[in-house]
């Protein structure tokens, strides 16, 4: 979702990332954090509008032997009473805390859309789905661990990424999954490359065309990294320079994890996300 925290608002740039991205790079990261007013994918998959605003759709990706559902939608930014009716008390409180009405409406619509998509798979009503979080593999805190479905009991895992008027959700059975979408910006932030990219990734970005190409190259690295750290539940509190995502390959094996936790190996690949956006999904390697 954003540079500076994991896609389902798992990590705030003012929190665990402090000390990982510092100084000017931290300020640059913070500039990328609040993307509710920004854009996002113009379409991850084709499909009819079916919740979550305009142009919702579903497709499947086979990754490391896992069939991953990909849901997406475009959000109007206009509040809808039917969306608020299916949210939990916690989601409603977050909706009301948004300073910007359009961002609040998009937050509600994205979460309501995911609930509506999940409900028939779980054999329940959208408002009856209970979400929680796994404990962070590093510190054990449940405030920024990987999202999970608490009730009804299910082997399904999910990862929701939201940016501006668009949302993207990946759902897999029996394996952790992470997803991220990002809008391409006219220029990338050079100060962030040293803070979050490995030497090989920095070389990949430097080899791209100065105008436009480097923004694409950097964003590809970022979406892949965020998909991996969301799947692991560690978030960007980790040293992202050590999460080597091999952006030159269509699909990459990535080693990443916290001590005492597992899995430590992930498979990540890009997702189609329209002309002006990039997206990625990651699952645990078999």
């Amino acid at each position: 979702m954003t540079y500076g925290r994991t896609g389902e608002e798992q990590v705030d740039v003012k929190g665990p990332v402090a000390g990982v991205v510092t100084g000017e790079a931290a300020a640059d990261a913070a500039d990328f954090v609040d993307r509710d007013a920004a854009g996002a994918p113009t379409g991850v998959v084709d499909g009819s509008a079916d919740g979550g605003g305009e142009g919702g759709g579903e497709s499947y990706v086979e990754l490391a032997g896992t069939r991953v559902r990909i849901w997406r939608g475009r959000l109007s930014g206009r509040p809808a009473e039917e969306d608020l009716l299916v949210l939990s008390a916690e989601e409603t409180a977050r909706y009301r805390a948004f300073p910007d009405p359009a961002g609040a409406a998009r937050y509600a619509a994205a979460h309501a859309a995911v609930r509506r998509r999940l409900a028939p798979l779980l054999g329940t009503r959208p408002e009856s789905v209970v979400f929680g979080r796994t404990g962070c593999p590093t510190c054990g805190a449940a405030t920024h661990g990987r999202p999970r479905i608490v009730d009804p009991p299910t082997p399904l895992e999910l990862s929701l990424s939201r940016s501006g008027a668009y949302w993207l959700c990946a759902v897999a059975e029996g394996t952790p999954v992470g997803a991220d979408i990002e809008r391409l910006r006219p220029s990338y932030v050079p100060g962030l490359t040293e803070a979050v990219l490995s030497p090989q990734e920095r070389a990949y970005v430097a080899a791209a065309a100065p105008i436009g190409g480097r923004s694409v190259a950097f964003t590809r690295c970022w979406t892949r990294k965020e998909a991996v750290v969301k799947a692991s539940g560690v978030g960007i509190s980790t040293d992202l320079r050590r999460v080597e995502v091999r952006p030159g390959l269509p699909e990459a094996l990535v080693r990443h994890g916290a001590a005492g936790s597992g899995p430590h190996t992930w498979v990540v690949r890009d997702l189609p996300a329209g002309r002006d956006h990039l997206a990625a999904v990651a699952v645990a390697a078999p």
Side-chain angles (χ1 to χ4, degrees), residues 110-255:
H111 283 248
V114 171
R115 286 177 169 276
R116 293 188 185 105
R117 297 291 185 97
L118 283 172
L121 300 180
L122 300 174
T124 190
R125 298 175 59 83
E127 61 270 25
S128 298
V129 180
V130 179
F131 294 106
R133 293 194 182 275
T134 60
C136 170
T138 301
C139 68
T143 55
H144 56 265
R146 191 173 65 250
R148 68 186 183 97
I149 301 167
V150 176
D151 193 64
T154 177
L156 294 181
E157 300 264 1
L158 81 161
S159 179
L160 170 62
S161 184
R162 183 175 53 86
S163 185
Y166 296 84
W167 63 271
L168 169 69
C169 184
V171 179
E173 184 172 348
T175 186
V177 62
D180 186 49
I181 57 175
E182 300 288 349
R183 178 175 62 92
L184 288 172
R185 300 209 168 202
S187 60
Y188 79 112
V189 181
L192 278 176
T193 60
E194 295 289 332
V196 304
L197 301 188
S198 70
Q200 293 82 1
E201 291 163 345
R202 292 199 296 270
Y204 172 80
V205 172
I211 300 177
R214 289 179 183 170
S215 177
V216 172
F218 178 83
T219 305
R220 176 167 291 115
C221 292
W222 183 272
T223 55
R224 287 186 171 203
K225 286 175 185 282
E226 193 156 351
V228 169
V229 299
K230 286 180 67 180
S232 74
V234 174
I236 62 169
S237 57
T238 192
D239 185 348
L240 293 177
R241 294 169 297 184
R242 301 182 65 180
V243 184
E244 175 69 56
V245 295
R246 303 177 183 179
L249 301 177
E251 188 173 296
L253 193 67
V254 180
R255 299 193 182 279

Side-chain angles (χ1 to χ4, degrees), residues 1 5-11 94 107 111 133 162:
M1 174 187 172
R5 61 183 177 185
T6 54
E8 178 55 357
E9 295 93 30
Q10 290 177 17
V11 179
R94 294 195 64 183
Y107 169 87
H111 283 248
R133 293 194 182 275
R162 183 175 53 86

Side-chain angles (χ1 to χ4, degrees), residues 89-108:
E90 180 182 0
E91 288 168 325
T92 301
R94 294 195 64 183
Y95 161 80
R96 290 174 175 165
F98 269 77
D100 138 54
R106 290 166 179 165
Y107 169 87

